[in-house]
Amino acid sequence: ILSLPWNIFTEDRIDIDVATKILDEDHYDLKQIKETILDFLAVLQLKKNKKSPILCFIGPPGVGKTSLGQSIARAMQRKFVRVSLGGIKDEAEIRGHRRTYVGALPGRIIQGLKKAQSSNPVFMLDEIDKIGSDFRGDPASALLEVLDPQQNNSFNDHYIELDYDLSTVLFIATGNMTDTIPPALLDRMELLFLPGYTSNEKKQIAKRFLIPRQIKENGLKPSQIIFPEKTVDTVIHNYTREAGVRNLERSVGTVCRKIARSIVKAKGAAPRKFEVKSADLAKYLGPQKYFRDEAEFKSGVGVATGLAWTSAGGSIIPVEVSCMPGKGGLKLTGSLGDIMKESAETAFSFAKSNHAEFNIHPDLFTTKDYHIHIPDGATPKDGPSAGITILVALVSCLTRRPVKRLTAMTGEITLRGKITPVGGIKEKVIAALSAGIRTVIMPEKNKKDLEDVPSEVLR
């Protein structure tokens, strides 16, 4: 009890300009997230009481969620504590054990405060979406009290059995997705979504942060090694496929280590400067691992290009339709999920019921079978956003008219032929551009999402 920081508070430095500078120093872009953080800091400056918000960063691995928390602590000059919640199954980990048990301990929250020696640290709850639950109770439910600004001013740890005021702690939770977080817990936090980085953003991050860090960590000097922009581009497209930048940093590290080894081997006879050229990457990183999605450059009948959103960013997906003599059956292949199969059936029914509008002879639906295939058969695909693409490919196949080349599309289709909005627009549009597509068709209601798309992509 005596070792807890009952009335010890660090003095907050809440200077919006300094905070902006620190956030920009540590992280490239993430404009919206930084704006929201600065809004909260401005409120703390005006309020003067120490009540802090509860934030939750949601985004794919490697986009900088944990390091954002460290930057906030640095900007406010608060102590920083991080607790990883991944795999915690025992409610006592949060609330402490009762003292009657052998080996009883206080919970992670109280232990964290003891470590910080301050009652108002920035407290990071990492991987909140990976909490388990079993017969020992549900730790996610124990967190409800911790993360509720109305209740956490009298948090009672079973071990110390005294109320502790947590309302001055700035809690930041992080997770990869919201699906596994209980709704009651989600409701208590302000959600901030971190999207994946575009290849241009990755290039800037590599130039400003990753390459200098890896050169230093591998015992080299900046004067010994040059990474041209073209090389960084090749690493991003040919050796990594991710939303964050972890593998990119690993690849840069591998190149640095190979160069360090050749310097050691040469015993002073090595060249003063190593320039890492794109052509040399196979020597350092092995053969190319990923191939860029390329759009079909010639128009084809029964082939349309759709857009998909994955955890590693966006990608393009060609949809192929072919017909053969039969009785009007529909076959779907390509490792499709239930929603995508239903989408294809809806598109097929719409084409069937509107055959007159499309100038399709009705006999085609009784004398032929149809096969819809979405390539890259080993990759599971799901979601409704390929509805429009499947319809276009179907009508193209039935009317023998080729689809306009270098055009991609996304949108969910209903039985009446309405196209409804879909998600992941930013990632999809960026993927379309890098695949060489020049026109993207999307639902009108998705117009609002274009605000997030970088201007060089829109151009």
Side-chain angles (χ1 to χ4, degrees):
I1 287 173
L2 292 179
S3 63
L4 284 174
W6 290 95
N7 277 325
I8 303 167
F9 297 97
T10 49
E11 193 58 48
D12 281 352
R13 171 184 65 188
I14 301 180
D15 182 331
I16 297 299
D17 298 333
V18 174
T20 310
K21 189 166 159 261
I22 286 174
L23 287 172
D24 286 341
E25 259 173 39
D26 294 353
H27 294 85
Y28 177 74
D29 201 32
L30 297 178
K31 218 193 223 136
Q32 260 182 318
I33 300 286
K34 288 177 183 171
E35 292 283 314
T36 313
I37 291 167
L38 293 171
D39 293 346
F40 278 117
L41 295 183
V43 171
L44 286 175
Q45 190 174 344
L46 288 176
K47 269 194 339 189
K48 297 296 183 231
N49 76 348
K50 290 187 160 62
K51 250 194 173 161
S52 292
I54 287 160
L55 309 175
C56 181
F57 298 146
I58 298 286
V63 293
K65 299 183 292 292
T66 309
S67 57
L68 257 178
Q70 289 167 325
S71 299
I72 294 170
R74 194 157 80 88
M76 296 175 76
Q77 284 188 332
R78 284 190 179 194
K79 299 281 180 61
F80 180 76
V81 188
R82 179 182 158 273
V83 168
S84 180
L85 299 177
I88 284 185
K89 291 197 175 90
D90 189 352
E91 176 247 8
E93 291 274 351
I94 308 292
R95 259 205 209 117
H97 303 80
R98 301 201 179 276
R99 288 197 301 270
T100 51
Y101 297 111
V102 174
L105 282 170
R108 297 279 179 103
I109 307 290
I110 293 293
Q111 282 180 38
L113 292 172
K114 183 180 156 187
K115 202 159 77 182
Q117 279 306 303
S118 151
S119 277
N120 62 338
V122 171
F123 204 116
M124 185 134 234
L125 300 165
D126 236 348
E127 311 290 0
I128 199 165
D129 56 334
K130 293 177 185 64
I131 294 186
S133 68
D134 65 1
F135 61 92
R136 286 167 290 197
D138 180 5
S141 305
L143 276 174
L144 294 178
E145 181 189 6
V146 176
L147 297 180
D148 189 339
Q150 306 303 322
Q151 293 173 31
N152 69 6
N153 55 5
S154 56
F155 171 70
N156 195 310
D157 187 283
H158 292 326
Y159 186 78
I160 56 172
E161 284 186 333
L162 292 168
D163 287 351
Y164 199 101
D165 183 2
L166 296 179
S167 63
T168 55
V169 179
L170 171 53
F171 283 106
I172 299 176
T174 73
N176 298 135
M177 51 190 195
T178 51
D179 307 4
T180 52
I181 305 175
L185 193 52
L186 264 186
D187 193 45
R188 285 165 161 76
M189 303 185 286
E190 181 88 25
L191 292 184
L192 301 177
F193 290 93
L194 281 83
Y197 293 116
T198 68
S199 51
N200 192 38
E201 285 166 356
K202 284 182 188 174
K203 204 157 57 179
Q204 294 297 331
I205 292 167
K207 204 162 79 179
R208 294 180 194 194
F209 305 101
L210 310 182
I211 294 173
R213 184 160 71 210
Q214 284 302 324
I215 288 174
K216 192 177 164 194
E217 279 185 13
N218 289 296
L220 299 166
K221 295 187 183 76
S223 58
Q224 288 176 301
I225 185 168
I226 302 172
F227 268 96
E229 262 194 30
K230 198 175 169 210
T231 308
V232 178
D233 238 5
T234 311
V235 174
I236 291 167
H237 291 298
N238 296 358
Y239 289 93
T240 66
R241 183 163 286 178
E242 53 177 351
V245 288
R246 278 206 190 116
N247 282 331
L248 174 57
E249 184 167 8
R250 262 182 222 129
S251 304
V252 171
T254 305
V255 173
C256 289
R257 282 193 294 280
K258 297 262 192 240
I259 287 172
R261 181 174 153 198
S262 59
I263 290 174
V264 171
K265 241 178 163 180
K267 294 184 181 147
R272 289 247 173 101
K273 219 168 211 180
F274 283 89
E275 186 177 348
V276 185
K277 296 196 172 103
S278 295
D280 304 337
L281 282 175
K283 189 171 76 184
Y284 295 123
L285 297 171
Q288 183 176 342
K289 288 181 186 167
Y290 299 103
F291 292 89
R292 216 188 260 207
D293 291 328
E294 295 263 321
E296 295 270 340
F297 284 104
K298 36 184 208 301
S299 306
V301 170
V303 180
T305 305
L307 296 170
W309 180 74
T310 64
S311 59
S315 64
I316 63 165
I317 49 169
V319 174
E320 305 170 344
V321 178
S322 72
C323 56
M324 55 218 93
K327 295 177 179 169
L330 178 66
K331 188 177 181 184
L332 305 166
T333 55
S335 176
L336 312 182
D338 291 344
I339 301 169
M340 207 162 189
K341 284 179 181 166
E342 287 167 8
S343 249
E345 282 164 16
T346 307
F348 189 60
S349 299
F350 178 73
K352 225 171 174 175
S353 58
N354 291 276
H355 63 87
E357 258 178 73
F358 293 125
N359 291 330
I360 299 168
H361 200 283
D363 291 354
L364 284 176
F365 293 106
T366 50
T367 57
K368 291 200 183 299
D369 277 350
Y370 295 90
H371 184 158
I372 298 175
H373 177 65
I374 298 178
D376 209 358
T379 312
K381 309 165 198 73
D382 206 2
S385 62
I388 171 90
T389 321
I390 294 169
L391 177 70
V392 168
L394 255 171
V395 173
S396 160
C397 176
L398 288 160
T399 56
R400 309 309 297 163
R401 283 162 63 194
V403 178
K404 201 173 175 183
R405 67 192 200 93
L406 299 193
T407 301
M409 57 207 85
T410 183
E412 180 179 349
I413 191 163
T414 69
L415 259 185
R416 291 171 298 156
K418 278 177 90 170
I419 306 294
T420 57
V422 289
I425 291 297
K426 177 184 172 184
E427 289 84 356
K428 286 175 178 175
V429 173
I430 289 163
L433 177 70
S434 65
I437 276 164
R438 290 288 170 264
T439 311
V440 172
I441 300 169
M442 66 177 77
E444 195 165 3
K445 282 185 178 158
N446 276 122
K447 203 170 183 178
K448 63 180 186 340
D449 298 311
L450 290 180
E451 285 174 21
D452 303 337
V453 180
S455 53
E456 74 261 21
V457 176
L458 284 180
R459 268 205 306 280

